Amino acid sequence: MLPVGKVTKLIAAPPSAVWRVLVDLEAWPKWGPTVSGAQLDPPHTELGLHVTGSVQTSLGFAVPFVVTEFEPGRHWAWNVAGVPATHHRVEPVGDHTRAAISVPLWALPYLTVCAIGLRRIDNLVTGS
């Protein structure tokens, strides 16, 4: 499903720094308000196309995920519990990065949570 809603944030850091936070499962709980942990299914060791795993929600239960789109250094998307979920993108803007999180129609209210996540990513990357 194509995303229909999007939030963006201009971050004073290179795209590679923002990307590292987006694909680092140990960082997800630091910026994702609804995530308390995540792990990849063996034999996977890093996020990539068709990689599977589980994400621990802030409500205390784990749900499976699969990465459905992956362009290294630029974009990744996933299905969570079999449902199309968020898309994550970075793009260079001069010496900054525009980070974006998009959602499908059914998840438009979740954009508020995504905006919090982008602010937290900015803080993690820039220390501000």
Side-chain angles (χ1 to χ4, degrees), residues 11 13-24 72-74 90-92 95-98 121 125:
I11 299 174
S16 60
V18 177
W19 180 255
R20 278 192 299 274
V21 172
L22 283 173
V23 297
D24 177 3
R74 301 280 299 180
V90 298
E91 58 185 43
D95 59 353
H96 291 66
T97 300
R98 183 173 323 284
I121 290 169
V125 175

Side-chain angles (χ1 to χ4, degrees), residues 22-25 28 40 45-49 51 65 67 70 76:
L22 283 173
V23 297
D24 177 3
L25 274 68
W28 288 2
L40 299 177
T45 59
E46 60 185 42
L47 218 56
L49 187 61
V51 167
F65 71 80
V67 177
F70 195 85
W76 71 270

Side-chain angles (χ1 to χ4, degrees), residues 36-126:
S36 64
Q39 64 183 19
L40 299 177
D41 292 334
H44 306 296
T45 59
E46 60 185 42
L47 218 56
L49 187 61
H50 305 301
V51 167
T52 59
S54 62
V55 61
Q56 185 82 22
T57 71
S58 56
L59 298 175
F61 58 89
V63 291
F65 71 80
V66 60
V67 177
T68 56
E69 298 176 31
F70 195 85
E71 181 183 352
R74 301 280 299 180
H75 171 249
W76 71 270
W78 62 345
N79 285 1
V80 178
V83 177
T86 49
H87 289 237
H88 312 79
R89 182 174 300 278
V90 298
E91 58 185 43
V93 178
D95 59 353
H96 291 66
T97 300
R98 183 173 323 284
I101 300 177
S102 304
V103 300
L105 181 62
W106 69 265
L108 285 176
Y110 193 66
L111 286 175
T112 302
V113 174
C114 296
I116 293 167
L118 288 175
R119 285 195 303 273
R120 289 179 178 179
I121 290 169
D122 187 359
N123 291 339
L124 286 169
V125 175
T126 65

